[in-house]
Amino acid sequence: MSTLPLYLRHEEFALQIEPLTQAGVLQAQDVLPIDAVAERYGEQDPAVLLAAALALRAPRAGHVGADLAQAPLLTKDSAEEAGAAFAWPELEPWLAKVRRSALVDLAALAPAGDRPLVLQQLSHGRELLMARRLWQAQAQLAKELLAMAASRPALQLTDEQIQQGLERLALTDPQTRSGVELAARQRLAIITGGPGTGKTYSIKCLLPVLLEHAAALGQSLDVRLAAPTGKAAMRMQEGIAQDLETLATTASVRTFIQGLVPQTLHKLLGMRPDGSARHTRSNPLTCDVIVVDEVSMIDLQLMLRLLEAVPAGARLILLGDRDQLASVEAGTVLADLLLGAEHGHGAENPLAGCVERYSVSKRFASAPTIAAIAADLQHGAEDRRVRALQLLTGHAAVDHETVPDRVRWLDRLLQAGAEAEKLKPGVVKSALPAGALAALVAPYLQAPCQDTPGGYVALLQAALGDGKGQAGFWSDPVLQGRLLDALDQYRVLAVHRKGPRGVAGLDQALSKVIREQLGKTWRDVYAGDLPAELGSWLGQPVLVTENSYEVGLMNGDIGMVLPTGQNRRLQAVFRDTRPGLPAVRSVPLARLPPHQGALVLTVHKSQGSQFPHVALVLADRDSPIQTRELVYTGITRAQSRLSWLGSAEVLDRALKTRVQRASGLAELLVG
């Protein structure tokens, strides 16, 4: 990390923060604006300038602002930014100086002020120092949410009409009925619950109730579906389409629902490269219902843009899991929303009547051990945390589990081999236990058998032999779809991006093994080396990392490099969910937006996805981002089987560590 001199005007400030700048905790973007503006406001105190710099740095760690009582946490938001030894100012005198500073407005007076920083009083005597723009965003979002919660939708249904709609659907599940009743009655509805609790299914049941009522009034209904990422949008569409033909409604309603295509939030709002949006308060969306999935991934600023773009009278339905990881950017909007609703009462806080919590999950009905671990981690009690740890390490079992190796602790399985390796002379210690790489790559390589559809590499190897000399063989969308389906049977998830146990190191190691396997098959069939172009190789899974509306690929889309071009030129193959188009399409490598290998994903990137088998690789050391929420998110990506790599001690400490983010939105929502 660069540590170029900053040449600050305030020498005392520069000397005080030098340990933090040397460690990369504070960077130029945090320090230079404060140093430049301090003179204008007559502020010279280095302790106040330090607090201001921390407030600017806070959003990079996911915080809305700096809670100075927890200032050391701001130095530990990632493994790459280790906290430096630093003599923090004594808290109470430090806060007193900040309160008196000409740089700082108190939150109660902030709307009328023009100072660059705002100090907000939080519960339990805490205080949050933040940039004015984030204070304004937070205050405006709270205002928008409370106003929407207190208003009525343009298309109103009586309780009798809602019940009649539910009866036509023959909907008997009480959890789903409650969610549909809430969303049919309210303008703002928040449905929260873990994976498989039926949040998306509730929307599939709600839409016929609304559509049939609108049709009876001679009205049409414009519905928009959205999610934070392309992958989450795809999963949303799959959930809406699943078993749609069994829905007890008219053919025209089923056709309408089938034609709904979820978008990314950025596309829905018309976000531009400069950060502006096409749809704003002055140019809102034209629709009657907006449903947004995976709300835990939405940050403060994006949620505000969404609320401002909702047209008058339109319903907004938010779906999400509060126990998953929070957004990458600043804020914990879903958690704050739920806290605000929990502490509100009736007319005092209209949010209290806008939330439905789902607790019964059906996703893991055939995987009871995974279901039990997820439920234990959601619960939060210490005895439940201990039981989750025991289930993950094989020291406890679920009575009705039918698959002995449903959850595999790879370290324990590999322990005997690792001990044997230690006895061999010249063995170099690795960041991975002996045999771990083979265990992680095996599901990608395994051949189909009675109990498993097999890995994508085995299917691709067979296709390489079958396709020799057959014109148009690789352009067959059925074959392409089978390969993509095989790839989605399994995924390796990691905590960090860098390091031997991070995405980069694991993807490189797994790629080497897979390329060698495919290379042998290619040489046997075609002779020569396995084809590679523009840094990509035949059989490589790729993950798109930036939205590209021109190409039609979104951040989170996953494809595979195959010889689908003329003369077996390599192209990337992706699923295409757009109506009326082939289910799979090929994109030339030169047209791909920024992307990376997809054999390994960070747990953050995996949100919105699910795979029959997941391998979760924990870091081999304590990490501030290796938390209970991260472990929960990784585990709940697995539908049927879970493997995990890491020590019991590291896992135990991760399960004791909760995400700590400083935000003042909940206090504003309580009122």
Side-chain angles (χ1 to χ4, degrees):
M1 181 176 293
S2 173
T3 55
L4 293 174
L6 297 174
Y7 300 110
L8 301 182
R9 301 177 185 179
H10 299 81
E11 294 184 7
E12 286 187 61
F13 176 43
L15 288 172
Q16 181 184 42
I17 65 172
E18 186 174 1
L20 298 180
T21 56
Q22 289 295 320
V25 173
L26 288 178
Q27 299 178 12
Q29 66 209 71
D30 313 317
V31 174
L32 292 177
I34 296 301
D35 184 61
V37 78
E39 188 171 347
R40 173 185 169 189
Y41 287 88
E43 182 57 74
Q44 303 288 328
D45 193 309
V48 173
L49 301 185
L50 168 63
L54 290 172
L56 295 194
R57 187 214 189 279
R60 291 211 312 281
H63 307 281
V64 175
D67 179 354
L68 298 183
Q70 302 291 326
L73 291 177
L74 293 171
T75 71
K76 295 183 177 181
D77 60 303
S78 68
E80 292 81 14
E81 293 178 338
F86 187 73
W88 295 99
E90 187 179 347
L91 181 60
E92 286 307 321
W94 191 15
L95 282 171
K97 290 179 179 179
V98 170
R99 294 187 199 107
R100 294 194 301 266
S101 174
L103 288 172
V104 178
D105 268 325
L106 300 182
L109 306 174
D114 64 350
R115 299 176 183 183
L117 300 168
V118 175
L119 187 68
Q120 180 187 1
Q121 291 289 133
L122 303 181
S123 58
H124 307 296
R126 293 157 48 239
E127 294 174 279
L128 189 66
L129 183 67
M130 69 197 88
R132 173 170 290 277
R133 65 177 183 84
L134 285 176
W135 158 256
Q136 290 172 331
Q138 187 176 253
Q140 185 62 34
L141 178 56
K143 181 180 177 181
E144 298 280 350
L145 286 166
L146 292 171
M148 185 174 289
S151 64
R152 300 285 291 170
L155 179 68
Q156 295 187 29
L157 287 78
T158 65
D159 288 343
E160 182 181 0
Q161 289 167 335
I162 295 171
Q163 295 306 316
Q164 290 173 350
L166 293 175
E167 293 305 317
R168 286 194 296 271
L169 286 167
L171 187 60
T172 58
D173 177 60
Q175 180 173 267
T176 307
R177 285 184 72 101
S178 294
V180 173
E181 288 169 357
L182 173 73
R185 185 174 58 249
Q186 299 290 132
R187 187 174 173 219
L188 174 66
I190 304 156
I191 300 177
T192 180
T197 50
K199 299 185 294 292
T200 305
Y201 179 66
S202 295
I203 300 306
K204 195 160 52 177
C205 295
L206 168 71
L207 291 177
V209 175
L210 297 180
L211 288 163
E212 291 171 10
H213 181 66
L217 297 175
Q219 301 175 12
S220 60
L221 207 64
D222 191 337
V223 178
R224 308 292 179 90
L225 307 180
T229 68
K231 187 65 176 178
M234 183 183 296
R235 291 294 311 154
M236 188 182 191
Q237 182 166 31
E238 291 170 357
I240 292 289
Q242 186 176 11
D243 299 326
L244 185 59
E245 67 279 359
T246 66
L247 198 63
T249 187
T250 65
S252 60
V253 168
R254 282 195 292 270
T255 300
F256 178 91
I257 297 174
Q258 183 72 52
L260 295 174
V261 180
Q263 302 172 285
T264 64
L265 269 177
H266 283 75
K267 188 170 184 179
L268 176 72
L269 297 174
M271 297 296 293
R272 304 184 181 102
D274 63 359
S276 63
R278 181 186 314 117
H279 294 291
T280 60
R281 187 186 308 281
S282 60
N283 182 33
L285 293 158
T286 53
C287 58
D288 305 295
V289 180
I290 303 172
V291 184
V292 184
D293 200 4
E294 298 291 350
V295 174
S296 65
M297 301 169 65
I298 302 176
D299 62 82
L300 175 68
Q301 298 275 20
L302 186 57
M303 182 62 80
L304 176 58
R305 288 189 179 279
L306 171 63
L307 265 291
E308 290 179 335
V310 176
R315 281 177 169 82
L316 176 63
I317 304 163
L318 305 176
L319 314 176
D321 182 354
R322 72 181 302 173
D323 295 298
Q324 282 190 185
L325 288 166
S327 59
V328 175
E329 303 298 331
T332 52
V333 175
L334 179 59
D336 289 340
L337 262 171
L338 298 177
L339 277 174
E342 287 170 5
H343 291 87
H345 302 284
E348 297 177 15
N349 187 342
L351 276 178
C354 296
V355 177
E356 187 67 36
R357 293 171 177 81
Y358 286 3
S359 58
V360 180
S361 176
K362 301 177 181 65
R363 175 180 297 181
F364 305 122
S366 60
T369 301
I370 297 175
I373 294 168
D376 286 342
L377 294 181
Q378 282 181 304
H379 194 274
E382 176 62 13
D383 61 328
R384 300 289 292 272
R385 183 197 67 78
V386 171
R387 193 179 82 128
L389 179 65
Q390 292 173 338
L391 289 170
L392 284 163
T393 55
H395 294 98
V398 174
D399 292 338
H400 49 289
E401 179 57 81
T402 58
V403 178
D405 61 345
R406 176 85 66 193
V407 174
R408 299 193 310 157
W409 182 20
L410 295 179
D411 284 62
R412 186 177 66 177
L413 297 176
L414 299 169
Q415 188 174 7
E419 291 300 320
E421 286 293 320
K422 289 178 183 177
L423 300 177
K424 295 180 181 180
V427 172
V428 178
K429 185 178 180 181
S430 169
L432 293 174
L437 182 60
L440 291 173
V441 79
Y444 284 131
L445 304 177
Q446 64 190 9
C449 64
Q450 185 175 0
D451 298 328
T452 175
Y456 92 94
V457 176
L459 182 61
L460 182 54
Q461 286 177 297
L464 289 173
D466 295 341
K468 185 177 182 181
Q470 294 192 38
F473 177 84
W474 292 102
S475 60
D476 179 8
V478 175
L479 171 65
Q480 295 169 0
R482 286 177 58 212
L483 287 167
L484 290 172
D485 288 343
L487 173 63
D488 281 345
Q489 293 299 307
Y490 173 68
R491 193 71 84 246
V492 179
L493 306 182
V495 175
H496 294 295
R497 290 186 295 272
K498 300 178 182 178
R501 287 184 177 232
V503 168
L506 288 170
D507 194 87
Q508 183 179 25
L510 296 177
S511 295
K512 182 179 179 182
V513 175
I514 291 173
R515 291 182 73 172
E516 288 174 354
Q517 292 287 326
L518 293 173
K520 291 176 184 176
T521 303
W522 183 269
R523 286 191 295 273
D524 291 342
V525 177
Y526 298 101
D529 295 330
L530 186 74
E533 296 177 32
L534 300 177
S536 298
W537 43 274
L538 191 154
Q540 181 186 23
V542 291
L543 169 72
V544 175
T545 56
E546 289 184 16
N547 294 335
S548 175
Y549 299 109
E550 178 186 358
V551 181
L553 293 173
M554 298 293 111
N555 180 16
D557 286 351
I558 292 178
M560 186 186 301
V561 177
L562 295 174
T564 57
Q566 291 186 347
N567 301 319
R568 295 200 300 266
R569 289 292 301 273
L570 296 184
Q571 296 183 320
V573 174
F574 294 85
R575 289 188 181 86
D576 197 333
T577 59
R578 293 175 293 180
L581 296 174
V584 186
R585 67 189 181 108
S586 296
V587 178
L589 296 181
R591 295 201 67 206
L592 280 181
H595 59 280
Q596 63 188 46
L599 291 168
V600 187
L601 306 177
T602 62
V603 176
H604 276 88
K605 282 287 187 183
S606 74
Q607 289 191 93
S609 302
Q610 56 181 331
F611 308 95
H613 184 186
V614 161
L616 174 62
V617 180
L618 298 181
D620 56 356
R621 64 189 185 283
D622 291 341
S623 166
I625 67 170
Q626 193 161 260
T627 61
R628 180 186 294 200
E629 290 83 356
L630 181 137
V631 173
Y632 169 84
T633 302
I635 287 171
T636 54
R637 299 312 92 199
Q639 296 171 287
S640 180
R641 293 177 182 270
L642 171 71
S643 303
W644 70 278
L645 186 71
S647 73
E649 294 76 17
V650 167
L651 174 63
D652 186 33
R653 289 192 290 272
L655 296 184
K656 291 177 180 176
T657 304
R658 303 303 299 261
V659 169
Q660 297 184 57
R661 283 194 171 184
S663 168
L665 179 60
E667 277 82 359
L668 296 176
L669 292 172
V670 170

